[in-house]
Amino acid sequence: MTVQLGPDPTGTELRYALIAAHGCDIAMLTVEAMLNDGHGTGEAARYLASGAPLPMGARPVIVADATVHGAVRVEQLLRLWPTELPRPYLITVADAPSGPPSAARYRIRALGARLAGTARVPYLPVLRTVTDPADAMTHQDVSTAATKLRRHLEGL
């Protein structure tokens, strides 16, 4: 995926332009809902289509699973990252109740200078039972994780 700066084709002002490091699953789609929840009207976050320009004023955020494959995909994406764009933020989404594998942690730590920061969404077992991100947001543990994620990103 190549990323470039340009106007937002939807005409809405985004706070976070989400970029999937690899395919999306329910947990990664829930990150979008987490960032939009509590924003009031409109959307604060949206996944960009492949090849879509980064909307002016939006903070680029790469979203990846907290796996070795996810970390490798983040590294590949950062190798192609244009220097004229702001450094992206990285959100990793846990796919198991344990922490990420050591190889994934090491790779993400090594990429730290290329990132504006990192955040981690914990493993949320309820995501295995929901039909869509909106359904997930009705659960207390997802809502709590969303609040923590928004506070972490806004604290920058």
Side-chain angles (χ1 to χ4, degrees):
M1 171 180 201
T2 59
V3 182
Q4 57 192 9
L5 195 58
D8 186 359
T10 64
T12 61
E13 208 169 301
L14 284 182
R15 182 176 293 166
Y16 307 108
L18 304 179
I19 301 162
H22 49 87
C24 277
D25 59 13
I26 186 68
M28 290 176 68
L29 291 172
T30 301
V31 168
E32 180 180 23
M34 289 174 148
L35 294 176
N36 284 324
D37 187 51
H39 184 259
T41 59
E43 55 184 11
R46 181 180 69 243
Y47 276 100
L48 297 179
S50 183
L54 178 66
M56 296 278 198
R59 177 184 294 163
V61 177
I62 298 172
V63 183
D65 286 332
T67 61
V68 174
H69 173 71
V72 167
R73 296 295 299 177
V74 169
E75 181 180 15
Q76 291 170 343
L77 185 56
L78 289 175
R79 282 187 190 153
L80 302 172
W81 196 263
T83 56
E84 65 272 7
L85 292 181
R87 289 182 302 156
Y89 204 85
L90 174 64
I91 296 174
T92 56
V93 182
D95 66 332
S98 60
S102 59
R105 285 193 315 268
Y106 173 76
R107 193 174 298 263
I108 296 302
R109 202 171 34 247
L111 296 170
R114 296 181 183 182
L115 297 168
T118 61
R120 184 172 182 266
V121 174
Y123 176 65
L124 299 166
V126 72
L127 295 181
R128 297 173 51 88
T129 66
V130 297
T131 57
D132 59 41
D135 185 23
M137 293 306 297
T138 63
H139 294 271
Q140 181 62 40
D141 53 345
V142 176
S143 175
T144 301
T147 301
K148 288 179 182 178
L149 178 62
R150 285 191 308 273
R151 282 186 186 150
H152 186 79
L153 288 178
E154 291 166 6
L156 291 178

